Amino acid sequence: MLNIISGLVRPSEGAVMFNDVDVARTSTADRDIAQVFQFPVIYESMTVRENLEFPLRNRGISKRDASARAVEIAELLQIDHMMKRRAQQLTADAKQLVSLARALVRREVSAILFDEPLTVIDPQKKVGTTSSPQASTCRTKPHPGLCNSRSNRGPHVRR
């Protein structure tokens, strides 16, 4: 289901609606979504700061604004103390928090899709992550309390 919503797989029939617009035949890049997978997707050779700034800089956001947003999200997820560390030096659960932060760092997305992102995170750290102000409701299968749709209706699939 997440692959269809994200555009990685085209549905054989029906519609994929973002804000009442069918995006079933829209390219993945044009859907403007962020996705957090079960296993971390980050650049090992970059620092945590660089990983968080990358999606923003790639979209033309100034270095200053990208840096400020990266710090904001790092503080929210309590990973700000890791900002200067290279991703390859992080534990598996820290890498997943960085991957989660990369998805949250973008302000203007149609949806953030979560595919069991808390699987590799230490259970003690899940409590703080799932109770963050970023959390909201979700229409797919991820862990309850950790999904974010930026629209009132969110993405949904219709037959």
Side-chain angles (χ1 to χ4, degrees):
M1 180 70 73
L2 291 178
N3 287 337
I4 290 173
I5 293 170
S6 68
L8 297 174
V9 173
R10 287 191 183 227
S12 55
E13 63 180 79
V16 179
M17 307 298 291
F18 282 17
N19 297 320
D20 296 321
V21 175
D22 183 5
V23 297
R25 304 290 176 242
T26 303
S27 74
T28 301
D30 292 336
R31 291 185 189 201
D32 199 23
I33 58 143
Q35 191 162 358
V36 183
F37 296 94
Q38 182 174 0
F39 298 101
V41 179
I42 58 175
Y43 294 104
E44 295 279 329
S45 62
M46 292 182 177
T47 64
V48 170
R49 176 183 296 277
E50 291 166 339
N51 265 286
L52 299 185
E53 291 175 356
F54 183 78
L56 302 174
R57 299 289 293 141
N58 206 31
R59 286 167 178 76
I61 306 291
S62 73
K63 175 76 173 156
R64 190 187 84 202
D65 290 345
S67 180
R69 181 66 177 164
V71 169
E72 178 184 349
I73 294 301
E75 288 172 351
L76 176 73
L77 294 180
Q78 300 174 356
I79 60 171
D80 49 315
H81 64 283
M82 297 184 229
M83 293 291 270
K84 294 180 180 178
R85 293 181 63 192
R86 294 232 174 259
Q88 64 195 13
Q89 300 169 326
L90 302 176
T91 62
D93 59 333
K95 287 179 182 180
Q96 188 63 336
L97 286 172
V98 173
S99 185
L100 176 60
R102 275 178 54 107
L104 296 174
V105 79
R106 291 174 47 205
R107 292 184 191 275
E108 302 301 322
V109 294
S110 297
I112 300 175
L113 307 179
F114 295 90
D115 182 7
E116 301 184 36
L118 301 181
T119 303
V120 298
I121 295 179
D122 177 356
Q124 294 299 320
K125 294 180 182 173
K126 288 180 185 180
V127 174
T129 304
T130 57
S131 64
S132 76
Q134 273 303 55
S136 70
T137 60
C138 178
R139 294 179 185 231
T140 56
K141 70 168 188 152
H143 295 273
L146 188 63
C147 187
N148 188 349
S149 175
R150 301 292 169 106
S151 70
N152 289 335
R153 297 193 53 205
H156 60 280
V157 177
R158 182 173 68 203
R159 283 193 91 156

